[in-house]
């Protein structure tokens, strides 16, 4: 089943469990991700910090694996494949961005 759930619609225990799963997985950086990190001036240390200390933004299975989006206090965002440990991508987002134009219909249960 394909789904996308905003973290605000998950229970605290679900958020805690997903974050723990992220901490427990052995992270893998593929060549594409390493290029994106370099292009976007994001270090592996920043990615690791985001996994360790970031806020869960969303959970989804849109690509047939379980992925989470995490954002740290500096705006570094990562998408992590929980099943394979792959860092899918990383980018910087303005920390004040509250996604005024987010497509709420794309989320199960809204935002």
């Amino acid at each position: 089943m394909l789904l996308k759930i905003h973290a605000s619609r998950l229970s605290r225990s679900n958020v805690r469990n997903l974050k723990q799963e992220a901490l427990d997985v052995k992270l893998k950086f593929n060549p594409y991700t390493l290029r994106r990190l370099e292009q976007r001036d994001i270090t592996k240390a920043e990615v690791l910090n985001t996994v360790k200390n970031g806020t869960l933004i969303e959970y989804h299975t849109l690509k047939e694996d379980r992925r989470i989006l995490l954002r740290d206090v500096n705006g570094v965002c990562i998408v992590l494949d929980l099943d394979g440990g792959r860092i899918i991508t990383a980018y910087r987002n303005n920390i004040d961005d509250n996604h005024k134009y987010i497509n709420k219909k794309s989320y199960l249960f809204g935002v």
Side-chain angles (χ1 to χ4, degrees):
M1 175 188 230
L2 303 178
L3 53 95
K4 183 175 175 182
I5 304 172
H6 193 271
S8 65
R9 300 297 187 207
L10 294 170
S11 70
R12 286 187 188 138
S13 64
N14 284 138
V15 170
R16 187 173 44 253
N17 290 341
L18 289 168
K19 287 277 298 166
Q20 187 60 53
E21 218 176 319
L23 291 171
D24 292 343
V25 74
K26 182 175 168 71
L27 298 179
K28 299 173 188 168
F29 294 84
N30 62 35
Y32 167 81
T33 302
L34 292 172
R35 278 193 311 276
R36 297 308 268 169
L37 292 176
E38 185 176 340
Q39 290 168 349
R40 295 171 175 170
D41 197 29
I42 298 171
T43 66
K44 280 187 178 181
E46 287 176 301
V47 170
L48 297 174
N49 179 64
T50 303
V51 171
K52 184 177 179 182
N53 300 308
T55 300
L56 181 70
I57 304 299
E58 74 178 36
Y59 167 84
H60 71 82
T61 61
L62 301 179
K63 300 285 185 180
E64 299 184 13
D65 50 18
R66 297 175 314 119
R67 295 180 179 189
I68 57 174
L69 171 62
L70 300 166
R71 181 168 62 182
D72 78 358
V73 296
N74 299 310
V76 173
C77 298
I78 65 159
V79 176
L80 171 61
D81 165 13
L82 291 172
D83 297 320
R86 294 175 302 133
I87 301 295
I88 304 299
T89 194
Y91 56 93
R92 292 187 190 279
N93 193 7
N94 184 326
I95 57 173
D96 296 322
D97 183 0
N98 62 5
H99 302 287
K100 180 178 176 182
Y101 300 106
I102 193 169
N103 180 0
K104 295 177 183 180
K105 292 180 181 179
S106 70
Y107 289 91
L108 186 63
F109 313 124
V111 175

